[in-house]
Amino acid sequence: MPDTPSNFSRFALLCVGNSMMGDDGAGPRLAELCAEQPLTGWTVVDGGAAPENDIGFLRELHPDHLVIVDATDMGLAPGEMRIIDENDIGEMFMMTTHNLPLTFLIQQLREDIPQITFVGIQPDVVAFYYPMSPVVERAVSRLHQQLPQLETGLGIAPYVAEIA
């Protein structure tokens, strides 16, 4: 659990994933990058594979805007990022290594956090003890650079499901 910040953070970042599972470690890698190069006005939480453990902290933090980042199989080219509408998360087939579905997490946080944005990063390889692929590492770096522009838009397209 992260330390309680001494000053109010308007923005919070919840990084989700398992760093021992190749590209599923995109979220934790973003948290590392934020520790190395902090983002002013942001509280960063590395939720790992059990982000539900951080619900209480995030509700108490009560940021204006929460960004959740996770590796998400969207059928795109590896490293592609999309903003996924929370109503679509439950309907999508989402590769997950987490204990509880992200829809549960978002529902719990919705009561205390007015705006939640879910960013999915398309993984290439998700398997135990594989390294993160260079294309996903570049996506994580790009997202770290884009987060300060959250209020004016991240420049990430919304996810649009293909109609079969």
Side-chain angles (χ1 to χ4, degrees), residues 2-3 5 7-16 30-31 34 39-47 54-69 105 109 112-119 143 147-148 150-151 154:
D3 294 328
N7 58 352
F8 174 74
S9 292
R10 292 187 55 213
F11 306 109
L13 176 64
L14 176 60
C15 302
V16 180
L30 180 58
C34 289
L39 302 171
T40 304
W42 287 77
T43 297
V44 178
V45 178
D46 184 351
D54 295 301
I55 289 173
F57 174 81
L58 289 165
R59 289 176 84 169
E60 187 176 301
L61 182 65
H62 199 16
D64 293 335
H65 197 140
L66 171 67
V67 176
I68 302 172
V69 177
L105 177 79
L109 295 171
D112 295 294
I113 302 173
Q115 195 163 3
I116 299 174
T117 299
F118 182 84
V119 178
L143 182 55
L147 283 170
L150 177 65
E151 290 183 281
L154 290 174

Side-chain angles (χ1 to χ4, degrees), residues 3 6 20 26 28 30-31 51-53 64 76 85 87 99 112 119 123 129:
D3 294 328
S6 57
M20 295 181 63
L30 180 58
E52 62 276 7
N53 293 341
D64 293 335
L76 303 171
D85 185 279
N87 296 321
N99 298 332
D112 295 294
V119 178
Y129 306 115

Side-chain angles (χ1 to χ4, degrees), residues 150-162:
L150 177 65
E151 290 183 281
T152 58
L154 290 174
I156 299 172
Y159 174 75
V160 178
E162 289 184 19

Side-chain angles (χ1 to χ4, degrees), residues 121-142:
I121 300 175
Q122 176 66 47
D124 187 11
V125 177
V126 175
F128 273 113
Y129 306 115
Y130 271 75
M132 184 174 297
S133 63
V135 69
V136 170
E137 179 75 38
R138 286 191 298 274
V140 167
S141 242
R142 199 167 57 248

Side-chain angles (χ1 to χ4, degrees), residues 16-18 24 47-52 69-71 95-102:
V16 180
N18 184 336
D24 191 48
E52 62 276 7
V69 177
D70 192 12
M95 167 209 64
T96 183
T97 58
H98 319 306
N99 298 332
L100 290 173
L102 291 175

